């Protein structure tokens, strides 16, 4: 039985193909958010297929275990903000002619039929005006298939939880790592690259909202598998090698730098192609000025420096604790922090104004 805690009113729950992550956050001011609960649990193969739930009973059991074994005080709440799989959702910036406020909803609905690869009756659609000019209106639309949303809602209810929101993954990531006060002006676009275990997503943030998202065929597991195969290591040993050696020429005789340089080059080529598409298709948006890396795959020493050299732009490791107080290392070890970015962003939603 879950009991309500007076401070933690909702959890952030990140459901991924390879892991589940949970974060509880207290506080009410931007300078005093405090992560008080955290946990992660691996998901066996066969539970998900590209974001689609295959084994609901198995995942339900894992969610209950995740909650019951969470680090920190036993602060429980039935309410959660949860992410939807990036591969099954859509974010797109569209342009419609200038019109009255009353006419906009119907125009957005009509435009979505031409911009999304799924019938309007089969999706939940949300939108917000990003920019309005005398001649046109730029609108950010987000869509999730009703079938996917329903299965995730059923999953959470089966685990005894009450979903307060289901968010497209890019939204909580931006909430966690972007600080409007640090953005120089309206002429800056920031690209956030989330390197996950099974996939990498890229999102561009500018003018107060997400402008563009894209999936890239690259993952942390891709690198781990190559290290394991080429160096005859176990998966766990290869993961440790990524952290210890990284892409540093001076560490481990530069073995991983030599081994993975082509993979990093491939990633940078895909990122550049996405940037080129963004600048070409979104001419009204400012140029991308810098890049932030997050996700477990970004916990790879030297990847920021190497990508910066190839992209010819400043690249930095994102700070998932940007809006939070320093976190107890026993609660959430620094080596795991980047993999909690989405969960932290979900946990912060309850404190949005």
């Amino acid at each position: 039985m879950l009991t309500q805690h007076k401070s933690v009113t909702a959890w952030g729950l990140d459901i991924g193909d390879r892991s589940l992550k949970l974060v509880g956050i207290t506080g009410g001011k931007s300078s005093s958010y405090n992560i008080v609960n955290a946990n992660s649990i691996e998901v066996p193969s066969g539970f998900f297929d590209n974001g689609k739930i295959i084994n609901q009973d198995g995942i339900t059991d894992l969610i209950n275990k995740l909650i019951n074994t969470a680090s920190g005080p036993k602060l429980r709440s039935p309410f959660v903000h949860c992410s939807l799989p990036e591969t099954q959702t859509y974010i797109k910036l569209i342009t419609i002619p200038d019109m009255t406020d009353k006419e906009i909803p119907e125009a957005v609905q009509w435009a979505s039929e031409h911009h999304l690869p799924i019938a309007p009756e089969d999706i939940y659609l949300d939108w917000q005006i990003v920019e309005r000019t005398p001649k046109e209106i730029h609108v950010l639309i987000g869509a999730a298939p009703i079938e996917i949303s329903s299965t995730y809602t059923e999953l959470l209810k089966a685990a005894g939880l009450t979903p307060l929101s289901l968010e497209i993954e890019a939204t909580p990531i931006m909430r966690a790592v972007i600080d409007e006060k640090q953005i120089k002006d309206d002429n800056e676009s920031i690209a956030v690259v989330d390197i996950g275990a099974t996939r990498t997503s890229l999102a561009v943030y500018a003018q107060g909202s997400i402008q563009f998202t894209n999936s890239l065929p690259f993952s942390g597991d891709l690198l781990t598998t190559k290290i394991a195969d080429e160096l005859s290591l176990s998966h766990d040993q290869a993961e440790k090698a990524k952290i210890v050696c990284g892409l540093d020429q001076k560490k481990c005789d530069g073995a991983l730098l030599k081994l993975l340089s082509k993979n990093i080059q491939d990633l940078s080529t895909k990122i550049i192609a996405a940037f080129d598409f963004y600048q070409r298709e979104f001419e009204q948006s400012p140029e991308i000025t810098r890049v932030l890396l997050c996700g477990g795959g970004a916990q790879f020493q030297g990847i920021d420096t190497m990508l910066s050299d190839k992209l010819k732009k400043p690249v930095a490791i994102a700070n998932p604790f940007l809006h939070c107080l320093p976190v107890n290392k026993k609660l959430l070890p620094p080596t795991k922090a980047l993999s909690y970015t989405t969960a932290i962003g979900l946990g912060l939603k309850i404190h949005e104004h």
Side-chain angles (χ1 to χ4, degrees), residues 324-338:
C324 302
L325 293 169
V327 179
N328 185 317
K329 293 181 180 180
K330 291 183 179 179
L331 179 68
L332 211 171
T335 55
K336 302 285 186 181
L338 287 168

Side-chain angles (χ1 to χ4, degrees), residues 2 8-9 17 53 59 69 74 76 82 88 126 155 184 202 218 251 257 267 301 312 331-332:
L2 297 175
V8 178
T9 53
D17 286 4
I53 298 170
I59 302 169
T69 60
K74 295 299 181 182
R76 305 288 177 80
C82 183
Q88 300 293 330
D126 195 12
L155 170 68
K184 295 178 182 179
L202 182 151
F218 184 88
K251 292 187 176 180
L257 177 61
L267 173 60
Q301 189 175 9
K312 308 302 180 186
L331 179 68
L332 211 171

Side-chain angles (χ1 to χ4, degrees), residues 2 22 39 63-70 74 76:
L2 297 175
L22 192 64
N39 202 14
I63 290 175
N64 286 325
K65 182 178 179 181
L66 183 76
I67 294 171
N68 293 328
T69 60
K74 295 299 181 182
R76 305 288 177 80

Side-chain angles (χ1 to χ4, degrees), residues 125-320:
L125 182 69
D126 195 12
W127 57 271
Q128 68 179 70
I129 295 175
V130 174
E131 184 181 16
R132 197 164 191 162
T133 70
K135 293 184 177 181
E136 57 189 19
I137 304 171
H138 303 300
V139 181
L140 183 73
I141 58 175
I146 292 174
E147 179 185 5
I148 294 295
S149 298
S150 297
T151 55
Y152 273 71
T153 299
E154 291 169 7
L155 170 68
L156 295 171
K157 289 182 177 179
L161 300 174
T162 302
L164 297 182
S165 71
L166 298 175
E167 289 199 306
I168 295 174
E169 198 169 9
T171 303
I173 289 174
M174 295 298 184
R175 186 182 297 121
V177 304
I178 295 291
D179 186 350
E180 285 287 351
K181 296 177 183 178
Q182 293 182 355
I183 296 178
K184 295 178 182 179
D185 51 47
D186 290 336
N187 293 317
E188 181 179 30
S189 291
I190 302 172
V192 178
V193 179
D194 176 33
I195 306 174
T198 60
R199 57 183 177 267
T200 292
S201 61
L202 182 151
V204 178
Y205 185 93
Q207 299 170 333
S209 71
I210 297 168
Q211 303 281 315
F212 168 74
T213 64
N214 192 23
S215 293
L216 306 176
F218 184 88
S219 69
D221 275 359
L222 177 74
L223 300 182
T224 304
T225 299
K226 185 168 184 179
I227 294 169
D229 291 345
E230 295 290 333
L231 302 181
S232 300
L233 302 174
S234 68
H235 186 276
D236 288 345
Q237 288 172 330
E239 279 290 340
K240 290 178 182 177
K242 281 168 61 177
I243 296 173
V244 173
C245 303
L247 296 171
D248 192 332
Q249 179 70 53
K250 298 178 182 179
K251 292 187 176 180
C252 308
D253 296 323
L256 296 196
L257 177 61
K258 298 172 187 174
L259 183 62
L260 302 177
S261 59
K262 185 179 184 301
N263 297 91
I264 304 302
Q265 177 61 56
D266 289 344
L267 173 60
S268 63
T269 300
K270 292 178 174 67
I271 292 174
I272 290 171
F275 286 179
D276 289 343
F277 177 84
Y278 168 74
Q279 301 292 179
R280 185 172 64 251
E281 296 295 320
F282 301 87
E283 294 179 357
Q284 75 280 3
S285 297
E287 181 181 353
I288 294 169
T289 52
R290 55 193 173 100
V291 181
L292 296 176
L293 303 179
C294 65
Q299 199 81 42
F300 191 17
Q301 189 175 9
I303 192 171
D304 53 337
T305 303
M306 195 168 181
L307 282 177
S308 179
D309 181 61
K310 294 182 180 301
L311 300 178
K312 308 302 180 186
K313 295 180 185 291
V315 177
I317 303 299
N319 177 13

